[in-house]
Amino acid sequence: MAQRKTAARTGIRLRLKPDENPLVRAVGRLPTKVHTKLLVAFVGTALLVVAVGVLGLRLLGQSNERGEALGTLQERAFAYGKLRSDAFNVRLLLNENVAGDFYTIHPAGRAKGRGAGDLAIDQATANSVAHIPPSTFPDTLGFAPPSEDERFLRGIRATGEQLSKVMRDIIASGIARGEVSDSLRSRAEQLAVDLNQLATELANATTARADGLIAQNANSYESSRNLFIGVAAGAIVLALTLGFVLSWSVIGPIQKIDARLAATASGDFSRHVDVTNRDELGALAANVNRMNDELQRLYKELETTSRHKSEFLANMSHELRTPLNAIIGFSQVLREGMAGGVNEKQTEYLDDILSSGNHLLSLINEVLDLSKVEAGQVELEVAPFSLQGALERGIVMVRERATKNCVQVTLAASPDADAVTGDERRIRQVIFNLLSNAVKFTPAGGSVDVWAMQVNGEVRVSVADTGPGIAAEDLERIFEEFQQSEAGLEQNEGTGLGLALSKRLVELHGGRIWVESELGRGCTFVFTLPAAAA
């Protein structure tokens, strides 16, 4: 069960890898160029932005329309509220006269005429009523009322005109006879009630519509806000998805190609890059695979050629050493007079033969050793040995030439750097190469300083001279076969194999070798070796 869960989690992780996403791979397999896909992504993103902007403008326009409609409703509600207030004021004025005594009864039973205050109230009422019908027309209202309001306005206008006529009759009766009949007063009161009711219904209906529109605006705002947020979020998600898919359809293949090129550069030709794109990246991957196969073929050919070369050099060096040893041996016999006396000129010639023979033998030995190293035929005889002793023997070997050239050679070895592990004979060969080069390139009166110390768990050997130094561009090249610095070429001595062989031997011991130098300030060759186990 646990294994199945682990496998499931592993499968999910694999499926979630961006470059293995099915959508990413599907986009990569589209037979379209990369710049076309990128253009589609840019245009799609721009269209999403435009769509969000258009939606925002539309929602804003709808909000403005609702705001304008609400403003119109509020304007109508204000005007209708004024009508209701005027109608209510008329009713209050009428109620004031109705609630009071219209007639003052004389003690003898004869009716007394109306007072001056009652007449003033009737006149004020008539004036108020007279202003109501004209205020129902569009010119006075300031807007054209909708059809649903016209019914109320016509009723208010008609009722107001009737009430205005009744009020004129009331005022006329009061002035002429000093008294007003109850029927006129009742009629006026009823008309005032009707007028107030119509105005109230109209105002309340308009207010209700305004309140309804306000509630609708609130709901519409919330809906519009949610719609806009949803569309904007969707556009962002789509844009991010589009960017993710297209970017990984490009980045994924590039990463795979880069990894394959890095592996190829390190010498691994065993795999191909798997890119399913049908665009420039797919073509590039195919070319990388072809290049990998071609490099693998060439590398195998070079390995074969190098092996044949190394075998040839090893065989030739071995074959050349036999007659050369005979030449050197017989020359020494003749030089020592063992086969008869030789004159001074013959001695000089024999010295030249011996010198040239020894030089040629040294060259053949270096070629043979380098060929064996390259062919993997060198087996180190690793064992602990005294590094200080190896350094002292190396100095002894170059002391004669150093003394002849007036070059001072010094050694400073730390006691903790004496015991090392390695092939003593090969390490002495490296030491001799470095010391002989240092003595050879150091001018008369100069010095060669040798140090040995333990640094970070490894033994470090330094050989510093006061020679002409090495140019920065030659610091790496001098460790290659048959390569020499400008000073070496001027000396016309050596073949450029000593440092290459020394580098191979040090690396076989798991160490490193490098040089630190500036022109005119000498140079310091440094190599490291593993310290002997305590």
CSV table of all heavy atoms in Angstrom, one decimal, residues 465-485:
chain,number,residue,atom,x,y,z
A,465,ASP,N,62.1,30.2,-9.5
A,465,ASP,CA,63.3,30.6,-10.1
A,465,ASP,C,63.2,32.1,-10.3
A,465,ASP,O,62.2,32.8,-10.2
A,465,ASP,CB,63.6,29.9,-11.4
A,465,ASP,CG,62.6,30.1,-12.5
A,465,ASP,OD1,62.3,31.3,-12.8
A,465,ASP,OD2,62.0,29.1,-13.0
A,466,THR,N,64.4,32.7,-10.7
A,466,THR,CA,64.4,34.2,-10.9
A,466,THR,C,64.7,34.4,-12.4
A,466,THR,O,65.4,35.3,-12.8
A,466,THR,CB,65.5,34.8,-10.1
A,466,THR,OG1,66.8,34.1,-10.3
A,466,THR,CG2,65.2,34.7,-8.6
A,467,GLY,N,64.1,33.5,-13.3
A,467,GLY,CA,64.3,33.6,-14.7
A,467,GLY,C,63.5,34.7,-15.4
A,467,GLY,O,62.9,35.5,-14.7
A,468,PRO,N,63.3,34.6,-16.7
A,468,PRO,CA,62.6,35.6,-17.4
A,468,PRO,C,61.1,35.6,-17.2
A,468,PRO,O,60.4,36.5,-17.6
A,468,PRO,CB,63.0,35.3,-18.9
A,468,PRO,CG,63.3,33.8,-18.9
A,468,PRO,CD,63.9,33.6,-17.6
A,469,GLY,N,60.6,34.5,-16.7
A,469,GLY,CA,59.1,34.4,-16.5
A,469,GLY,C,58.4,33.9,-17.7
A,469,GLY,O,59.0,33.7,-18.8
A,470,ILE,N,57.1,33.7,-17.6
A,470,ILE,CA,56.3,33.2,-18.7
A,470,ILE,C,55.1,34.1,-18.9
A,470,ILE,O,54.5,34.6,-18.0
A,470,ILE,CB,55.8,31.8,-18.3
A,470,ILE,CG1,56.9,30.8,-18.0
A,470,ILE,CG2,54.9,31.2,-19.5
A,470,ILE,CD1,56.5,29.5,-17.5
A,471,ALA,N,54.8,34.4,-20.2
A,471,ALA,CA,53.7,35.2,-20.5
A,471,ALA,C,52.4,34.6,-20.1
A,471,ALA,O,52.2,33.4,-20.0
A,471,ALA,CB,53.7,35.5,-22.0
A,472,ALA,N,51.4,35.4,-19.8
A,472,ALA,CA,50.1,34.9,-19.3
A,472,ALA,C,49.4,34.0,-20.3
A,472,ALA,O,48.8,33.0,-19.9
A,472,ALA,CB,49.1,36.1,-19.0
A,473,GLU,N,49.5,34.3,-21.6
A,473,GLU,CA,48.9,33.4,-22.6
A,473,GLU,C,49.6,32.1,-22.7
A,473,GLU,O,49.0,31.1,-23.4
A,473,GLU,CB,48.8,34.1,-23.9
A,473,GLU,CG,50.2,34.5,-24.5
A,473,GLU,CD,50.7,35.9,-24.1
A,473,GLU,OE1,50.1,36.4,-23.1
A,473,GLU,OE2,51.6,36.4,-24.8
A,474,ASP,N,50.8,31.9,-22.2
A,474,ASP,CA,51.5,30.6,-22.3
A,474,ASP,C,51.4,29.8,-21.0
A,474,ASP,O,51.9,28.6,-21.0
A,474,ASP,CB,53.0,30.9,-22.6
A,474,ASP,CG,53.2,31.5,-23.9
A,474,ASP,OD1,52.3,31.3,-24.8
A,474,ASP,OD2,54.2,32.2,-24.1
A,475,LEU,N,50.7,30.2,-20.0
A,475,LEU,CA,50.7,29.5,-18.7
A,475,LEU,C,50.1,28.2,-18.8
A,475,LEU,O,50.5,27.2,-18.1
A,475,LEU,CB,50.0,30.4,-17.6
A,475,LEU,CG,50.8,31.7,-17.2
A,475,LEU,CD1,50.0,32.4,-16.2
A,475,LEU,CD2,52.2,31.3,-16.7
A,476,GLU,N,49.0,28.1,-19.6
A,476,GLU,CA,48.3,26.8,-19.8
A,476,GLU,C,48.9,26.0,-20.9
A,476,GLU,O,49.0,24.7,-20.9
A,476,GLU,CB,46.8,27.0,-20.0
A,476,GLU,CG,46.1,27.6,-18.9
A,476,GLU,CD,46.0,26.7,-17.7
A,476,GLU,OE1,46.1,25.4,-17.9
A,476,GLU,OE2,45.9,27.2,-16.5
A,477,ARG,N,49.4,26.7,-21.9
A,477,ARG,CA,49.9,26.0,-23.1
A,477,ARG,C,51.1,25.2,-22.9
A,477,ARG,O,51.4,24.1,-23.5
A,477,ARG,CB,50.1,27.0,-24.2
A,477,ARG,CG,50.5,26.4,-25.6
A,477,ARG,CD,50.6,27.6,-26.6
A,477,ARG,NE,51.6,28.6,-26.2
A,477,ARG,CZ,52.9,28.4,-26.6
A,477,ARG,NH1,53.3,27.4,-27.2
A,477,ARG,NH2,53.7,29.4,-26.2
A,478,ILE,N,52.0,25.6,-21.9
A,478,ILE,CA,53.3,24.9,-21.7
A,478,ILE,C,53.1,23.5,-21.2
A,478,ILE,O,54.1,22.7,-21.2
A,478,ILE,CB,54.2,25.7,-20.8
A,478,ILE,CG1,53.5,25.9,-19.4
A,478,ILE,CG2,54.6,27.1,-21.4
A,478,ILE,CD1,54.4,26.6,-18.4
A,479,PHE,N,51.9,23.2,-20.6
A,479,PHE,CA,51.7,21.8,-20.1
A,479,PHE,C,51.2,20.9,-21.2
A,479,PHE,O,50.9,19.7,-20.9
A,479,PHE,CB,50.7,21.8,-19.0
A,479,PHE,CG,51.3,22.5,-17.7
A,479,PHE,CD1,50.9,23.8,-17.4
A,479,PHE,CD2,52.1,21.8,-16.9
A,479,PHE,CE1,51.4,24.3,-16.2
A,479,PHE,CE2,52.6,22.3,-15.8
A,479,PHE,CZ,52.3,23.6,-15.4
A,480,GLU,N,51.1,21.3,-22.5
A,480,GLU,CA,50.7,20.5,-23.6
A,480,GLU,C,52.0,19.9,-24.3
A,480,GLU,O,53.1,20.5,-24.2
A,480,GLU,CB,49.9,21.3,-24.6
A,480,GLU,CG,48.6,21.8,-24.0
A,480,GLU,CD,47.8,22.7,-24.9
A,480,GLU,OE1,48.3,22.8,-26.1
A,480,GLU,OE2,46.8,23.3,-24.5
A,481,GLU,N,51.8,18.8,-25.0
A,481,GLU,CA,52.9,18.2,-25.7
A,481,GLU,C,53.5,19.1,-26.7
A,481,GLU,O,52.8,19.8,-27.5
A,481,GLU,CB,52.5,16.8,-26.3
A,481,GLU,CG,52.0,15.8,-25.4
A,481,GLU,CD,50.6,15.8,-25.1
A,481,GLU,OE1,50.0,16.9,-25.3
A,481,GLU,OE2,50.0,14.8,-24.6
A,482,PHE,N,54.9,19.1,-26.8
A,482,PHE,CA,55.6,19.8,-27.8
A,482,PHE,C,55.3,21.3,-27.8
A,482,PHE,O,55.4,21.9,-28.8
A,482,PHE,CB,55.4,19.2,-29.2
A,482,PHE,CG,55.6,17.7,-29.3
A,482,PHE,CD1,54.6,16.8,-29.3
A,482,PHE,CD2,56.9,17.3,-29.3
A,482,PHE,CE1,54.8,15.5,-29.4
A,482,PHE,CE2,57.2,15.9,-29.4
A,482,PHE,CZ,56.1,15.0,-29.4
A,483,GLN,N,55.0,21.8,-26.6
A,483,GLN,CA,54.7,23.3,-26.5
A,483,GLN,C,55.8,23.9,-25.6
A,483,GLN,O,56.1,23.3,-24.5
A,483,GLN,CB,53.3,23.6,-25.9
A,483,GLN,CG,52.2,23.1,-26.8
A,483,GLN,CD,52.1,23.8,-28.1
A,483,GLN,OE1,52.4,25.0,-28.2
A,483,GLN,NE2,51.8,23.1,-29.2
A,484,GLN,N,56.3,25.0,-25.9
A,484,GLN,CA,57.4,25.7,-25.2
A,484,GLN,C,57.0,27.2,-25.1
A,484,GLN,O,56.4,27.8,-26.0
A,484,GLN,CB,58.7,25.5,-25.8
A,484,GLN,CG,59.3,24.1,-25.6
A,484,GLN,CD,60.6,23.9,-26.3
A,484,GLN,OE1,60.8,24.1,-27.5
A,484,GLN,NE2,61.6,23.6,-25.4
A,485,SER,N,57.6,27.8,-24.0
A,485,SER,CA,57.4,29.3,-23.9
A,485,SER,C,58.4,30.0,-24.9
A,485,SER,O,59.3,29.3,-25.5
A,485,SER,CB,57.7,29.7,-22.5
A,485,SER,OG,59.0,29.4,-22.1
